[in-house]
Amino acid sequence: MTTSEFTIMQLQESRNRSIVFWNSLEETFLFSQDALGSKRPIEVIREILAEDFFNLHNILRRGNSSISESPFANAAFVSVEEELKRIQPFREKLLQLIYSFNNNDFEDIQVVSNSARSTYSLAQLLSRILQKENEIRGQLLFQFQMFKQKNILAA
């Protein structure tokens, strides 16, 4: 198994876990907003998915991307399924790009992170992408548990 294949397998596994989790969330939770006015869960999911778009351009341009808004930032929030459909072309292009790299590229290619203004090897950047999606999924799970608990106590 090549580094590309292994990386794609990890990215797919992480996304599959996210999709199963997101699809299990109640619609009332997806569109709810807490008293502090934080982002609604559906907005958080869109941000996770939009990372595919940003990461694709960031890797292609080695971090010299001036793109700051996803192409569907102003689209209405409908459902998790709609959000997944919107990002699918970018996700496929990202995975194809990763597949095109040889084993040496993962250490040799350097990408400047637009958010942190730090330089990472492609391997480090992809690892950070995985970590971020997994962390946010965990945060949403915690928020969902609190949401359920609050609704049980209110009933």
Side-chain angles (χ1 to χ4, degrees):
M1 180 179 287
T2 66
T3 304
S4 293
E5 292 168 333
F6 182 72
T7 302
I8 289 170
M9 184 181 73
Q10 288 182 310
L11 288 167
Q12 290 293 77
E13 179 63 27
S14 178
R15 181 56 53 86
N16 289 342
R17 288 178 186 200
S18 293
I19 290 170
V20 167
F21 172 62
W22 297 335
N23 284 327
S24 73
L25 297 173
E26 298 171 6
E27 193 170 314
T28 54
F29 172 70
L30 283 172
F31 292 92
S32 68
Q33 196 163 26
D34 65 18
L36 301 175
S38 63
K39 292 179 184 170
R40 297 176 297 165
I42 192 76
E43 293 173 282
V44 174
I45 291 169
R46 177 178 282 178
E47 285 183 4
I48 293 169
L49 294 171
E51 287 296 316
D52 287 345
F53 171 80
F54 292 116
N55 290 321
L56 171 65
H57 291 284
N58 200 24
I59 293 168
L60 282 171
R61 296 184 174 106
R62 305 299 190 256
N64 296 320
S65 178
S66 60
I67 298 170
S68 61
E69 192 170 294
S70 76
F72 44 84
N74 296 321
F77 294 104
V78 178
S79 66
V80 171
E81 186 175 319
E82 271 306 306
E83 296 297 318
L84 289 166
K85 284 180 188 173
R86 284 188 189 121
I87 198 60
Q88 189 59 34
F90 301 106
R91 179 72 174 185
E92 288 174 8
K93 287 178 186 174
L94 176 62
L95 296 177
Q96 289 170 356
L97 178 63
I98 294 167
Y99 190 75
S100 73
F101 295 126
N102 66 47
N103 287 346
N104 293 335
D105 288 340
F106 286 88
E107 290 304 321
D108 294 344
I109 292 176
Q110 299 294 306
V111 180
V112 177
S113 167
N114 287 341
S115 59
R117 290 287 173 216
S118 299
T119 302
Y120 299 102
S121 70
L122 181 60
Q124 290 171 319
L125 180 69
L126 293 170
S127 177
R128 292 172 66 87
I129 291 168
L130 276 167
Q131 179 183 1
K132 183 175 182 178
E133 183 165 333
N134 291 331
E135 281 180 15
I136 293 173
R137 187 175 59 242
Q139 290 169 357
L140 278 175
L141 176 59
F142 177 76
Q143 288 175 350
F144 183 62
Q145 290 169 335
M146 294 297 101
F147 176 82
K148 293 291 283 185
Q149 199 171 45
K150 178 181 156 190
N151 288 345
I152 289 170
L153 293 173

